[in-house]
């Protein structure tokens, strides 16, 4: 089942499920009414009579009370739960050493020898500790509320992009009543203007030409849902991993790259605050030593998030900063190390050598690190962000995208282009200015927030 059917075909599935449940309940009731009740009553009555016949009354013998023992029986004293009393003067010999350490024992009651010893009182039953009951329904409600709040953030942040899509497609359908070649040319241009990318726009348009012939579509209304379905299923077809690779044990290292001004340092600071709130020990490394302002900015985010930052003076070797940060993280048992790097794309050769040297330092200490190399992209730059992604991919392997400033952008369609053309998953998405507005990317929330007004 494609992503489109999972999101927008859910209502029909629920209706079919209700019909099936009602039919099943009716069949079950019919089976219950066919069972003969009289047979069950007769079997129970027959069993009770059999038990009464086998029972024999117990008659006590004459002269002996059921409470009195026989002569041949020896009456033994009833054992008590009272611990044995030991006289220290009788049991401890002269050669034995008495430990000076106090021994905690249960309190004992010493009887007097003039009076008979009364039987020890039975200990009061200890109340059993109540089991901790986890309210699964309450936890589910909290989770559902959290999901609903996140989905609302997606809808609010995608409002400008959704308006761009809706305006473009509504204008297209208003101008064309029939499906012809001119309609497909205008559709391709509308998709390109929506920032889904030239390659993806051409591919979707060509597939729709074939689909229109197969279904014999005459009007544009016949293709409205099919267009959205094609876009959504293209987005879902790659099956790229969207979760960040957090190590279950040991140190996790994330390397962040991106040009200046895209929100890279802000993304690092917000991610550090999130992991700190989750109880993890987080360390930051200011390896963008090319700009003094970048170091100061990361230190400020470290102060806001309550995490330490490893720094060196501006102009220092970035690999030396990473080396010191790795040594501190391993010595002090940190869980996560987030590394900021320079983003000087105008000098690719130096940037490539710098990132290569940092990578060697990291792998020498932790062979399978960095576990993520995240490229920060500004959603407001549209197709320029796609070009940045291509250039950084040529410099270093990119494992994921952090798409920032989506709440102020009308160009959210670049997510479709990034996934389809570059085969790089979007893993983080910025939905606002607050600390908790940096969210893990959720493709279902994104697709629903983008297309819900078009269907």
């Amino acid at each position: 089942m494609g992503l489109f059917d999972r999101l927008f075909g859910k209502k029909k599935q629920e209706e079919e499920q209700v019909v099936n449940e009602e039919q099943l309940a009716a069949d079950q009731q019919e089976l219950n009414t066919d069972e003969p009740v009289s047979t069950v009553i007769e079997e129970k009555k027959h069993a009770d009579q059999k038990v009464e016949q086998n029972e024999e009354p117990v008659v006590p013998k004459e002269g002996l009370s059921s409470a009195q023992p026989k002569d041949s029986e020896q009456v033994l004293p009833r054992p008590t739960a009272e611990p044995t009393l030991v006289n220290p003067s009788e049991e401890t010999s002269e050669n034995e050493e008495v430990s000076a350490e106090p021994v905690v024992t249960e309190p004992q009651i010493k009887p007097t020898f003039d009076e008979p010893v009364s039987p020890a009182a039975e200990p009061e039953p200890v109340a059993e500790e109540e089991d901790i009951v986890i309210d699964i329904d309450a936890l589910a409600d909290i989770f559902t509320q959290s999901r609903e709040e996140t989905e609302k953030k997606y809808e609010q942040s995608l409002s400008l992009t959704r308006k761009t899509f809706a305006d473009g497609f509504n204008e297209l359908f208003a101008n064309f009543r029939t499906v012809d070649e001119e309609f497909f040319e205008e559709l391709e241009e509308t998709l390109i203007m929506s920032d889904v990318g030239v390659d993806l726009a051409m591919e979707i348009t060509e597939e729709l030409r074939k689909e229109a012939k197969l279904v014999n579509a005459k009007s544009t209304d016949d293709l409205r849902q099919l267009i959205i379905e094609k876009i959504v299923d293209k987005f879902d077809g790659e099956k790229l991993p969207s979760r960040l690779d957090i190590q279950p044990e040991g140190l996790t290292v994330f390397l962040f790259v991106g040009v200046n001004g895209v929100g890279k340092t802000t993304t690092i600071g917000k991610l550090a605050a999130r992991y700190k709130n989750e109880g993890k020990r987080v360390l930051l490394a200011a390896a963008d030593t090319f700009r003094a302002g970048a170091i100061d900015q990361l230190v400020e985010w470290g102060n806001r998030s309550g995490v330490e930052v490893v720094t060196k003076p501006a102009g220092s070797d970035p690999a030396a900063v990473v080396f010191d940060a790795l040594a501190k993280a391993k010595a002090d048992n940190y869980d996560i190390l987030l590394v900021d790097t320079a983003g000087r794309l105008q000098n690719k050769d130096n940037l490539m050598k710098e990132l290569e040297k940092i990578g060697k330092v990291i792998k020498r200490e932790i062979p399978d690190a960095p576990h993520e190399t995240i490229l920060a992209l500004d959603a407001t730059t549209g197709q320029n962000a796609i070009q940045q992604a291509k250039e950084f991919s040529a410099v270093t392997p990119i494992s994921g995208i952090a798409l920032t400033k989506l709440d102020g952008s009308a160009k959210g369609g670049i997510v479709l282009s990034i996934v389809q053309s570059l085969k790089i998953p979007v893993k983080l998405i910025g939905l606002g200015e607050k600390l908790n507005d940096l969210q893990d990317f959720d493709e279902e929330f994104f697709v629903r927030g983008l297309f819900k007004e078009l269907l």
Side-chain angles (χ1 to χ4, degrees), residues 42-105:
E42 290 295 332
E43 290 179 355
K44 186 176 184 305
K45 183 176 180 181
H46 179 71
D48 294 341
Q49 292 176 354
K50 187 174 180 180
V51 170
E52 292 176 358
Q53 292 175 0
N54 293 336
E55 290 181 351
E56 294 181 359
V58 179
V59 180
K61 294 182 179 181
E62 186 175 356
L64 288 176
S65 172
S66 58
Q68 294 177 347
K70 298 179 181 180
D71 296 338
S72 60
E73 292 180 350
Q74 183 179 359
V75 179
L76 298 177
R78 180 183 179 184
T80 65
E82 184 178 6
T84 307
L85 299 176
V86 180
N87 191 339
S89 61
E90 295 176 0
E91 295 293 330
T92 306
S93 62
E94 295 179 356
N95 296 330
E96 289 181 350
E97 298 181 359
V98 180
S99 174
E101 183 179 356
V103 180
V104 180
T105 59

Side-chain angles (χ1 to χ4, degrees), residues 124-343:
E124 297 181 359
V126 180
E128 297 182 358
E129 296 183 358
E130 296 183 358
D131 295 334
I132 300 175
V133 180
I134 300 176
D135 193 341
I136 302 298
D137 293 335
L139 291 177
D141 290 341
I142 294 174
F143 177 76
T144 302
Q145 291 173 5
S146 177
R147 294 274 296 176
E148 290 175 352
E149 291 174 0
T150 303
E151 186 170 7
K152 287 181 181 178
K153 286 185 178 181
Y154 269 84
E155 291 181 3
Q156 294 170 359
S157 299
L158 288 168
S159 59
L160 295 176
T161 302
R162 184 168 59 249
K163 187 176 185 302
T164 300
F165 266 84
D167 291 348
F169 281 104
N170 289 336
E171 183 179 354
L172 174 67
F173 293 128
N175 293 336
F176 291 89
R177 296 299 180 185
T178 59
V179 178
D180 54 16
E181 185 58 31
E182 188 178 357
F183 167 78
F184 287 112
E185 291 178 359
E186 190 68 23
L187 171 63
E188 184 177 312
E189 184 177 347
T190 302
L191 290 172
I192 293 174
M193 294 300 294
S194 300
D195 286 293
V196 301
V198 176
D199 295 336
L200 182 58
M202 294 175 62
E203 185 177 346
I204 291 174
T205 303
E206 185 59 31
E207 290 183 4
L208 283 170
R209 280 192 181 97
K210 298 177 182 178
E211 290 282 350
K213 292 179 181 179
L214 290 176
V215 300
N216 195 22
K218 299 297 183 182
S219 67
T220 56
D221 289 337
D222 297 336
L223 292 180
R224 178 186 289 268
Q225 179 171 322
L226 189 59
I227 293 171
I228 307 302
E229 184 175 350
K230 284 292 181 185
I231 297 174
V232 172
D233 288 343
K234 283 288 181 184
F235 178 69
D236 184 50
E238 298 301 328
K239 303 297 182 184
L240 298 173
S242 59
R243 291 186 175 274
L244 293 170
D245 186 13
I246 300 291
Q247 301 301 297
E249 295 181 358
L251 181 63
T252 298
V253 181
F254 287 176
L255 195 66
F256 287 82
V257 298
V259 299
N260 300 328
V262 298
K264 176 183 52 167
T265 306
T266 301
T267 299
I268 294 173
K270 290 181 178 180
L271 197 61
R274 179 208 292 186
Y275 290 138
K276 175 72 180 300
N277 291 335
E278 291 177 358
K280 295 182 174 62
R281 300 199 64 200
V282 185
L283 184 66
L284 305 183
D288 184 1
T289 58
F290 184 74
R291 294 185 307 119
I295 300 174
D296 296 338
Q297 187 180 6
L298 192 66
V299 169
E300 176 61 27
W301 269 108
N303 293 333
R304 292 186 194 178
S305 306
V307 300
E308 292 190 60
V309 184
V310 177
T311 64
K312 281 184 176 296
S316 301
D317 184 2
V321 178
V322 175
F323 178 81
D324 291 348
L326 284 167
K328 179 176 179 58
K330 293 175 69 176
D332 297 342
N333 295 321
Y334 279 86
D335 300 309
I336 295 176
L337 172 62
L338 307 179
V339 181
D340 188 15
T341 64

Side-chain angles (χ1 to χ4, degrees), residues 429-441:
I429 191 166
L431 302 177
E433 297 294 330
K434 297 179 181 178
L435 278 177
N436 61 349
D437 285 338
L438 180 69
Q439 297 285 333
D440 293 332
F441 181 71

Side-chain angles (χ1 to χ4, degrees), residues 379-427:
T380 62
T381 60
Q383 290 301 308
N384 288 335
I386 304 298
Q387 187 60 32
Q388 292 176 20
K390 291 179 179 179
E391 293 180 1
F392 269 101
S393 296
V395 172
T396 185
I398 305 297
S399 63
I401 300 291
L403 192 63
T404 65
K405 308 178 186 180
L406 187 66
D407 56 312
S409 172
K411 301 179 180 293
I414 64 169
V415 173
L416 306 173
S417 183
I418 291 171
V419 172
Q420 181 66 21
S421 61
L422 301 180
K423 314 301 183 194
I424 301 175
V426 178
K427 296 196 172 183

